[in-house]
Amino acid sequence: MSLRAAVSNKRCVSGLLSQLSSCSSHVRGRVPAVLVTQQRNNSTSPKIKVEFDQSRGVAIMQMQSPPVNSLSLDFLTELCISVEKLEMDKSCRGLIITSSQPKVFSAGLDIMEMYGKSPERCGEFWKAVQEMWLKIYSSNMVTIAAINGSSPAGGCLMSMTCDYRIMADNPRYSIGLNETQLGIVAPFWFKDTMVNTVGHRTTEMALELGLLYSPSEALKIGLVDQLVPEDQVLTTATQTMTKWLAIPDHARQISKSMMRKPTIDKLTSNREADIKNFVSFITKDSIQKSLHMYLEMLKKRKG
Ligand code: CO8
């Protein structure tokens, strides 16, 4: 089945993800010309909208999964396919990731994917989380997170996998790896990504306390690179992209790979063990109880 046909057939999406995960994300130049031509069309899948400006070589990816862009298995699968399609298109040099939901960039992993699910399903889910991180963190494209709302846990991870982060300067929004507040533990590659972003000591405190930072605090510790008024997040991302694309691709890509490869290799060589760890941890009664309490707390807070 061709990539395009598979994407238009949602039932095929899971199978395609496994196929894609087995091929490298550094495959530009090997895509048949006919496929590249097809990919130049804008594509809209139910949860991810991609607009590709061919003249600039920049794609804007909008997460549009109400209410909070939580990262479910379906969502992650669509996202990975969209990123892979852009990665394979030689003419796409930059990717901006943003949200179409008001107030939220992404609420992180979908808690319902970790609560009351079979070990098999949890394993499948975790593989998709790994895949999302691997695809964006190792991308050859310039990646910019246009963070136009709150971005806890997996949402923060997704932002940190990008090359540059611009956040809306709204004190009601927050960002951080708050896993311990749910009674769960951020895995080593979440931790490594944060260490690479803000340094060891700040990460240690942030992880132990499950800290969520306001935009100004996040800027201070370097978790985001720039704050702008809410209505300027996307335009600033577009302007910043122009600066990054002025650097020759090969030099920038090799530099990026030099900085990130050791962290990426650590997960790629431990993927199966990491999945096993996740499944045995998340299916424990005590952890399920913590998740239940957190879900109740979310509901009460709403009330
Ligand atoms: N997953 C599933 N549902 C969610 C999530 C989520 N992450 N976040 C919110 N929701 C649901 C709410 O329960 C609510 O549902 P309903 O309408 O049925 O009551 C709905 O989305 C809307 O939520 P809110 O009313 O809270 O929306 P607000 O706009 O007021 O707030 C926030 C948005 C700030 C995003 C808020 O919802 C929030 O703080 N959510 C929780 C975020 C969170 O803590 N995420 C952590 C997920 S864990 C993770 O990403 C990494 C796990 C690593 C695992 C490692 C294990 C080894």
Side-chain angles (χ1 to χ4, degrees), residues 23-31 84 87-90 140:
C23 69
S24 155
S25 62
H26 301 271
V27 289
R28 287 169 187 224
R30 287 189 230 153
V31 184
E84 185 72 18
E87 195 76 54
M88 289 194 296
D89 185 340
K90 262 168 125 183
N140 270 326

Side-chain angles (χ1 to χ4, degrees), residues 1-265:
M1 183 192 316
S2 77
L3 183 62
R4 195 178 187 214
V7 172
S8 66
N9 180 354
K10 195 160 174 284
R11 280 169 303 178
C12 297
V13 153
S14 267
L16 185 63
L17 180 62
S18 350
Q19 287 173 35
L20 288 176
S21 67
S22 62
C23 69
S24 155
S25 62
H26 301 271
V27 289
R28 287 169 187 224
R30 287 189 230 153
V31 184
V34 61
L35 187 55
V36 172
T37 312
Q38 286 168 353
Q39 285 164 356
R40 282 187 178 147
N41 298 328
N42 290 350
S43 70
T44 306
S45 60
K47 294 174 171 34
I48 304 285
K49 180 182 174 196
V50 178
E51 283 171 331
F52 180 35
D53 179 344
Q54 243 181 286
S55 61
R56 298 188 63 241
V58 177
I60 298 179
M61 179 181 285
Q62 292 204 333
M63 299 182 282
Q64 48 177 24
S65 181
V68 290
N69 286 332
S70 60
L71 309 178
S72 63
L73 180 56
D74 279 356
F75 183 98
L76 289 164
T77 304
E78 286 183 24
L79 188 139
C80 287
I81 288 172
S82 299
V83 173
E84 185 72 18
K85 280 175 72 182
L86 296 169
E87 195 76 54
M88 289 194 296
D89 185 340
K90 262 168 125 183
S91 66
C92 186
R93 300 174 59 218
L95 171 64
I96 296 171
I97 304 179
T98 193
S99 163
S100 65
Q101 301 309 308
K103 303 188 294 181
V104 183
F105 178 74
S106 165
L109 303 194
D110 191 321
I111 299 168
M112 298 316 292
E113 294 280 10
M114 301 183 281
Y115 181 65
K117 292 286 189 291
S118 70
E120 292 71 27
R121 170 78 188 197
C122 288
E124 201 186 343
F125 173 62
W126 197 246
K127 192 173 178 187
V129 180
Q130 291 177 335
E131 198 60 32
M132 177 271 289
W133 180 82
L134 286 167
K135 286 220 180 322
I136 309 177
Y137 206 53
S138 70
S139 174
N140 270 326
M141 296 178 283
V142 173
T143 50
I144 295 181
I147 311 166
N148 50 351
S150 286
S151 196
C156 175
L157 178 79
M158 189 193 287
S159 307
M160 288 192 297
T161 58
C162 292
D163 295 310
Y164 194 80
R165 283 160 287 287
I166 299 161
M167 189 170 187
D169 192 4
N170 183 335
R172 283 180 305 164
Y173 299 158
S174 62
I175 182 166
L177 294 183
N178 61 323
E179 279 78 356
T180 53
Q181 289 192 31
L182 286 75
I184 55 181
V185 181
F188 71 88
W189 42 285
F190 283 47
K191 178 265 294 174
D192 289 344
T193 313
M194 190 164 193
V195 169
N196 293 350
T197 310
V198 300
H200 195 280
R201 175 61 187 142
T202 303
T203 302
E204 183 172 302
M205 231 168 10
L207 290 186
E208 285 191 37
L209 296 172
L211 294 178
L212 284 171
Y213 298 91
S214 68
S216 58
E217 291 166 337
L219 181 68
K220 203 169 159 192
I221 63 164
L223 184 54
V224 298
D225 299 297
Q226 195 176 347
L227 298 185
V228 294
E230 196 150 357
D231 59 354
Q232 290 170 30
V233 174
L234 205 51
T235 46
T236 309
T238 309
Q239 287 157 7
T240 307
M241 183 61 82
T242 307
K243 279 191 216 160
W244 280 68
L245 291 181
I247 304 296
D249 279 345
H250 69 282
R252 181 190 49 73
Q253 287 162 357
I254 294 169
S255 304
K256 178 171 176 174
S257 170
M258 183 172 66
M259 295 302 292
R260 297 187 173 194
K261 194 172 180 302
T263 310
I264 291 164
D265 287 349

